[in-house]
Amino acid sequence: MTRYLTFALTKGRLADKTLEKLESIGITCEEMKDKSSRKLIFVNEELRLKFFLAKGPDVPTYVEHGVADIGVTGKDIIMEENRAIYEVLDLDFGKCRMCICGYPKAKELLSHHEMIRVATKYPRIARDYFHNKKHQTVDIIKLNGSIELAPIVGLSDVICDIVETGTTLKENGLEVLEEVCPLSARMVVNQVSMRMEAERIRSIINKLREKL
Ligand code: PRP
């Protein structure tokens, strides 16, 4: 009996987009379309596939441990988690940017190698950017959400955060000061699965690539 290939998807909008893409290459999961369902795991017996819904930052964990063969989550999360997994495909949706943002007057703090306070949900990305790219010593303050609040209330000088439309920044008088990197949804694969199930996984990657 063919073994199940298991997908770990990021709960929410990213999972919906991922399912749309998978559907375009003939991979469906009817069970998952019921929006009122609180089920977390779904099976397509015919294709021998399983899908589960996880929080974004947990997707690389499931994939590294091999309980999911394939995962789909944001590049931000993949960089921050830094797990031993293969990133195999840029899915070209969920596009946004990781940026250093703040009040316009904070811009000069970024050009003088001064010690500044950076609030972020992504301490690894922020540390890597300031230490390795800008050679600037910073004090990283880890927050879990509503990062834009930090410079407003005086917790930090700047933030390192995701910008999609820029609306949150604009409505709070903040702006993009520097761009760290572009982001989008990526497909990741467990390193052992990539060898053991090479044929099935490669075929999925290739079909998806053709749809990009
Ligand atoms: C993200 C991000 C920004 C916002 C950017 O937050 O952290 O706050 O979206 O989007 P925009 O540029 O289109 O305004 P999210 O809504 O995921 O919630 P969070 O504040 O809990 O991180």
Side-chain angles (χ1 to χ4, degrees), residues 38-120:
R38 302 291 297 258
K39 261 183 88 170
L40 295 170
I41 185 147
F42 305 89
V43 183
N44 178 327
E45 281 300 345
E46 195 191 326
L47 297 173
R48 301 293 288 169
L49 297 173
K50 277 187 190 167
F51 301 88
F52 59 76
L53 296 173
K55 282 273 187 190
D58 297 335
V59 166
T61 311
Y62 288 115
V63 173
E64 183 182 57
H65 286 265
V67 291
D69 303 284
I70 299 173
V72 174
T73 193
K75 177 68 176 172
D76 50 323
I77 285 166
I78 295 167
M79 289 194 295
E80 186 62 30
E81 292 298 314
N82 197 31
R83 298 280 175 173
I85 51 181
Y86 295 133
E87 183 187 319
V88 296
L89 189 63
D90 183 344
L91 290 161
D92 211 42
F93 57 77
K95 283 187 171 186
C96 45
R97 302 182 291 157
M98 183 64 73
C99 296
I100 308 300
C101 314
Y103 287 119
K105 67 174 185 323
K107 193 156 184 80
E108 62 173 323
L109 298 175
L110 299 171
S111 51
H112 294 139
H113 292 273
E114 276 176 78
M115 174 77 174
I116 55 167
R117 294 164 306 158
V118 182
T120 187

Side-chain angles (χ1 to χ4, degrees), residues 197-210:
E197 294 293 330
E199 208 173 311
R200 285 172 87 193
I201 294 175
R202 286 233 170 84
S203 141
I204 293 171
I205 297 169
N206 290 338
K207 284 181 191 156
L208 283 173
R209 192 178 285 130
E210 276 168 26

